Amino acid sequence: MTSHPTTPHTAPRTTTYTARPIPPAALAQLRVTDDVGLPCAPYEDTEGGAPLRCCLRRSRAGERVALVSYAPLRRWAAERWARPGAYDEQGPVFIHAEECGGPREATAYPFSRPGALRTVRRYDSEGRIVGGRLLEIPEAADEGFDQAFAEAFADPEVALVHVRAVEHGCFLFEVRRP
């Protein structure tokens, strides 16, 4: 496994690939209006446990969060003038209601509960799906994800991978070609 450079808030990674949160510029927009045009409606998370895509951790009881609609492929494609067409999906994601500074703990892939099911979708440089697989997260979750990403990026057409929860179809995080 390789190490990745760290940010001021990040511990050294022990995984081969980097799980990417929603970028700060996109978060700033989502905190006003989400990707279906609805205004952000923050609330206090009284129980905690919501998977936050801004900092790639679960919320704590009492934190202010928002559930917004996010179109990750659309935003990625806009940066590259790609044309994902019908593959442009949007769906619900939890974020902090205010800026949080992003991930602070980066020692493992986020939201990796052994036994949980994830889809690992592969996209080409135009944002079209070029494959994917179902992953049941093994006990050695990081190794399972590393293997799935290595398999994906063995295909030279694959530019990025989205990981989604099977239970609700929610986007969890993105991994780009190293």
Side-chain angles (χ1 to χ4, degrees):
M1 289 190 232
T2 60
S3 294
H4 289 276
T6 60
T7 63
H9 302 292
T10 307
R13 294 198 54 90
T14 59
T15 55
T16 303
Y17 300 90
T18 301
R20 298 171 62 99
I22 297 175
L27 288 166
Q29 294 170 352
L30 293 169
R31 289 181 178 119
V32 176
T33 306
D34 73 9
D35 285 347
V36 294
L38 296 174
C40 185
Y43 65 95
E44 182 180 332
D45 184 355
T46 57
E47 296 179 19
L52 298 165
R53 284 23 167 260
C54 49
C55 55
L56 300 181
R57 68 166 175 82
R58 296 215 176 259
S59 64
R60 296 180 190 103
E63 287 186 298
R64 289 193 45 77
V65 301
L67 182 60
V68 298
S69 184
Y70 177 57
L73 192 59
R74 178 186 313 163
R75 288 176 177 273
W76 174 87
E79 295 172 9
R80 288 158 183 72
W81 298 93
R83 304 170 74 88
Y87 296 108
D88 175 27
E89 295 182 85
Q90 59 198 28
V93 295
F94 290 96
I95 61 173
H96 274 114
E98 291 84 29
E99 187 176 332
C100 67
R104 287 173 173 47
E105 303 153 5
T107 58
Y109 295 113
F111 320 119
S112 298
R113 181 179 42 81
L117 298 175
R118 301 291 184 251
T119 59
V120 179
R121 291 191 189 157
R122 305 168 186 177
Y123 296 91
D124 69 11
S125 62
E126 284 298 312
R128 293 181 301 256
I129 291 177
V130 291
R133 67 172 284 205
L134 180 65
L135 173 67
E136 181 175 350
I137 300 175
E139 287 298 320
D142 289 351
E143 292 173 21
F145 274 112
D146 280 345
Q147 181 179 354
F149 298 144
E151 185 181 289
F153 292 120
D155 179 345
E157 284 190 58
V158 176
L160 77 155
V161 172
H162 283 177
V163 175
R164 291 179 176 267
V166 171
E167 307 93 319
H168 299 102
C170 300
F171 169 84
L172 293 173
F173 62 91
E174 172 181 292
V175 173
R176 295 186 183 180
R177 177 173 287 286

